[in-house]
Amino acid sequence: MLYALTTPDWKEATTQSDIYVVRTDRGLESTRQLTFTTTRNESSPRWAPAGGWFVFSSNREGVASEAKQQLFLMRADGGEARRITNAKEGVSTFAFSKDGQWLVYRSGKASEEQLYALAMASLDRGMSVDSLAPAQLTKHPTGVGSWELTPDSRRIYFITADTVDADEKARVEKKFTVDVRNAATSVNSLWMVDLASASRPITRVTRDTSIAVTAFSIAPDSRWVGITAVPNDRYKRNITEQGIYADQYLLNTRDGSVERLTKNEESSESGLSFSPDSRTIAFSASDDMAAYNMKNRRVYIRATDAK
């Protein structure tokens, strides 16, 4: 098991993290420290699908005040880490496709981040970072928000804003800081990248302009996507309590249809969970799903395809 250990320095008001590995069959006595950067940080270790090596995020290279988070590859039995990305704005999130073909990561300026992919074959060959050629998967005008690969490695779903406020973007870039109370935000929708097609087309999944997508979950069989969305009503969407107005939806990826599962005012449900065989969906909510209350929460289940 890989894990990152963060140590606080209370005097300097900083923290520093390194990566460790431990054998689950032997426990604490087998713990080994793998990175030793006393003033930099390593985080988010992820095993490659075939095992034996892993990738992690670090700001270990460059001037400390300007160093960006890049991805590094390292063998589990030790040795020096090798940098595998050279992203100008650094890397924010990353994941391996389960079929072992791609390492996908997100990079770019805030609100303009896009998805890129590195072929696993090139990483296995030990190519230098200058020789690696990441494929840009998205060029979305409003950037890519939260995203996730499907278990079958054929698609990537992501949330993105429908529009960009040019004035707000310019204000942030020019560092004109003001305290905007209850600022309006753009409506978010769910999109999909088709990795199974050579051209990797990008399509919009949710088209209902009366709702704004806030989160999603993918079924183990990749056929279904659970969607959490709030009303496209600023005074229900732009408040800290927007979750009590959210409802659950179910996307059938075979025909693109979206089924609304709940319709409750001031009653929150958790996001959808899927059984391991994807045949059952579940969520938690108040025991009567009435308006906001302090009653116990219960679990509700249904056969996934039983509309």
Side-chain angles (χ1 to χ4, degrees):
M1 180 180 71
L2 292 165
Y3 63 93
L5 180 67
T6 300
T7 304
D9 184 329
W10 300 107
K11 183 178 181 180
E12 299 297 328
T14 60
T15 61
Q16 188 276 327
S17 59
D18 276 303
I19 293 174
Y20 292 72
V21 66
V22 62
R23 289 180 60 103
T24 57
D25 60 345
R26 290 174 51 195
L28 288 176
E29 65 176 19
S30 65
T31 302
R32 288 190 297 116
Q33 184 174 347
L34 296 177
T35 63
F36 299 84
T37 50
T38 56
T39 60
R40 303 300 178 92
N41 292 291
E42 273 81 35
S43 62
S44 306
R46 300 283 186 273
W47 288 109
W53 56 274
F54 63 95
V55 168
F56 64 92
S57 176
S58 178
N59 63 346
R60 58 165 55 194
E61 294 187 1
V63 179
S65 60
E66 302 174 358
K68 303 292 186 181
Q69 292 288 327
Q70 302 290 351
L71 298 184
F72 292 79
L73 183 154
M74 190 175 192
R75 290 191 55 81
D77 56 5
E80 186 56 45
R82 174 167 60 92
R83 182 160 59 91
I84 57 174
T85 62
N86 193 25
K88 181 179 179 181
E89 301 296 332
V91 173
S92 58
T93 55
F94 68 97
F96 288 104
S97 62
K98 289 192 174 181
D99 63 0
Q101 298 297 310
W102 300 100
L103 170 62
V104 180
Y105 64 90
R106 186 179 63 177
S107 177
K109 294 181 179 179
S111 76
E112 297 179 9
E113 290 183 290
Q114 305 295 339
L115 295 178
Y116 301 81
L118 284 168
M120 291 283 285
S122 62
L123 299 179
D124 288 336
R125 290 196 296 268
M127 297 171 64
S128 68
V129 65
D130 295 327
S131 301
L132 295 171
Q136 185 166 350
L137 301 178
T138 62
K139 294 183 180 180
H140 206 280
T142 57
V144 172
S146 58
W147 61 279
E148 187 176 345
L149 282 149
T150 56
D152 63 8
S153 304
R154 297 175 63 85
R155 302 182 185 93
I156 299 174
Y157 288 94
F158 66 91
I159 296 175
T160 187
D162 288 355
T163 58
V164 172
D165 186 333
D167 291 335
E168 176 67 6
K169 180 180 177 182
R171 178 187 74 79
V172 174
E173 290 179 345
K174 295 180 182 297
K175 296 180 172 57
F176 175 57
T177 56
V178 293
D179 184 13
V180 181
R181 300 299 297 271
N182 195 28
T185 61
S186 174
V187 174
N188 291 335
S189 298
L190 186 66
W191 292 67
M192 183 267 290
V193 183
D194 187 356
L195 295 177
S197 174
S199 60
R200 302 190 187 106
I202 300 174
T203 57
R204 181 169 176 163
V205 176
T206 56
R207 299 183 177 276
D208 186 348
T209 57
S210 68
I211 60 173
V213 177
T214 58
F216 65 95
S217 57
I218 303 173
D221 67 358
S222 303
R223 179 184 171 186
W224 309 92
V225 179
I227 299 171
T228 301
V230 297
N232 184 12
D233 176 337
R234 180 179 173 187
Y235 296 100
K236 293 180 180 178
R237 181 167 56 84
N238 279 170
I239 58 174
T240 56
E241 299 87 4
Q242 70 172 7
I244 67 176
Y245 295 102
D247 280 304
Q248 305 307 313
Y249 300 76
L250 184 64
L251 166 69
N252 184 335
T253 64
R254 291 185 177 178
D255 59 17
S257 62
V258 178
E259 176 192 2
R260 183 168 189 163
L261 300 177
T262 64
K263 190 175 183 179
N264 303 307
E265 287 282 316
E266 299 186 359
S267 179
S268 64
E269 308 93 18
S270 67
L272 289 186
S273 295
F274 293 88
S275 59
D277 62 5
S278 302
R279 296 175 63 182
T280 305
I281 51 176
F283 64 84
S284 64
S286 169
D287 65 1
D288 60 4
M289 290 200 219
Y292 183 77
N293 59 60
M294 299 296 289
K295 295 183 178 180
N296 289 332
R297 294 178 70 83
R298 307 298 186 190
V299 174
Y300 297 81
I301 66 171
R302 194 197 79 175
T304 309
D305 59 1
K307 288 191 176 181

